Amino acid sequence: MSENLKDLNIKSSIYLCLTLITVALVLFMRPVNVKADGTATVSIKPANNVFTTWTTSVNSTFATVTNVTNLFNWQVEILFNASILQCVSVSIPSDSPFNFPVQPTPVINNITGYVMFGASQITPAPVNGSGTLGVVTFKIVKTPSTPGESLNCNLTLDTEDTYLLDPSMHKMPVTLEDGYYQYT
């Protein structure tokens, strides 16, 4: 082979290699989603995150998310004292912007005291905004035994199993605001 033909083969191989690398980068690299408007907040409502037997109505909004951008998948786990409260049901409101099509059956454990629920999109069509993630119905199973006594427990959003995911399935920054139940 002549020297010019060898140089041409080497140059062609280098050009082909660089072209393939460029195509691979274009096809397989995904943009990183950066939240420009702050951190989302998942919170337990009503006002002040405090439930009492005198102020909480049936079907009160329970778990909400605010200030979320690019949400594709979410899960909430709430821990509670099962000797005081029992979870009866969990639902995602039909008018919620986060009522995504894939909804695994909620997990309710009234022995150890937790409820876990969530939803996911089928295709990457993320949602922005604020709204209700779920409505949780509890039954009071223990009342104060003497006048003036108070029973209470935290309604804690589990830090490991409560998360928001973007379309790349990366956890998004989130602030968790727990709730509190009190029977006086």
Side-chain angles (χ1 to χ4, degrees):
M1 235 191 295
S2 74
E3 196 63 34
N4 287 343
L5 192 52
K6 280 185 184 180
D7 286 342
L8 183 60
N9 282 339
I10 291 173
K11 287 179 184 178
S12 295
S13 295
I14 291 172
Y15 176 75
L16 180 61
C17 185
L18 289 174
T19 302
L20 289 174
I21 289 171
T22 303
V23 169
L25 288 174
V26 168
L27 291 176
F28 298 112
M29 284 191 65
R30 292 178 148 172
V32 176
N33 298 310
V34 179
K35 287 183 58 60
D37 62 341
T39 300
T41 300
V42 173
S43 58
I44 294 177
K45 297 293 181 193
N48 302 322
N49 305 341
V50 177
F51 290 81
T52 66
T53 55
W54 310 114
T55 61
T56 304
S57 62
V58 173
N59 295 324
S60 293
T61 298
F62 201 85
T64 63
V65 65
T66 54
N67 195 36
V68 68
T69 301
N70 210 26
L71 182 63
F72 178 74
N73 179 316
W74 61 269
Q75 178 176 289
V76 171
E77 182 177 18
I78 302 168
L79 310 173
F80 57 91
N81 184 333
S83 69
I84 296 174
L85 299 172
Q86 298 280 290
C87 181
V88 177
S89 66
V90 180
S91 64
I92 301 169
S94 59
D95 62 346
S96 171
F98 311 110
N99 185 348
F100 297 157
V102 178
Q103 296 180 17
T105 302
V107 177
I108 298 173
N109 185 321
N110 284 320
I111 295 172
T112 58
Y114 72 88
V115 58
M116 186 178 352
F117 57 100
S120 180
Q121 295 280 48
I122 293 173
T123 58
V127 175
N128 304 324
S130 300
T132 302
L133 293 174
V135 175
V136 180
T137 303
F138 284 103
K139 176 174 74 172
I140 300 167
V141 294
K142 186 175 183 181
T143 60
S145 57
T146 61
E149 180 185 14
S150 176
L151 290 176
N152 53 64
C153 73
N154 292 321
L155 300 166
T156 305
L157 291 162
D158 184 80
T159 56
E160 187 173 321
D161 288 327
T162 298
Y163 54 80
L164 308 175
L165 300 177
D166 66 19
S168 298
M169 302 307 278
H170 294 116
K171 282 190 175 182
M172 300 164 61
V174 63
T175 299
L176 303 179
E177 294 180 355
D178 296 335
Y180 183 76
Y181 165 77
Q182 182 174 19
Y183 191 133
T184 54

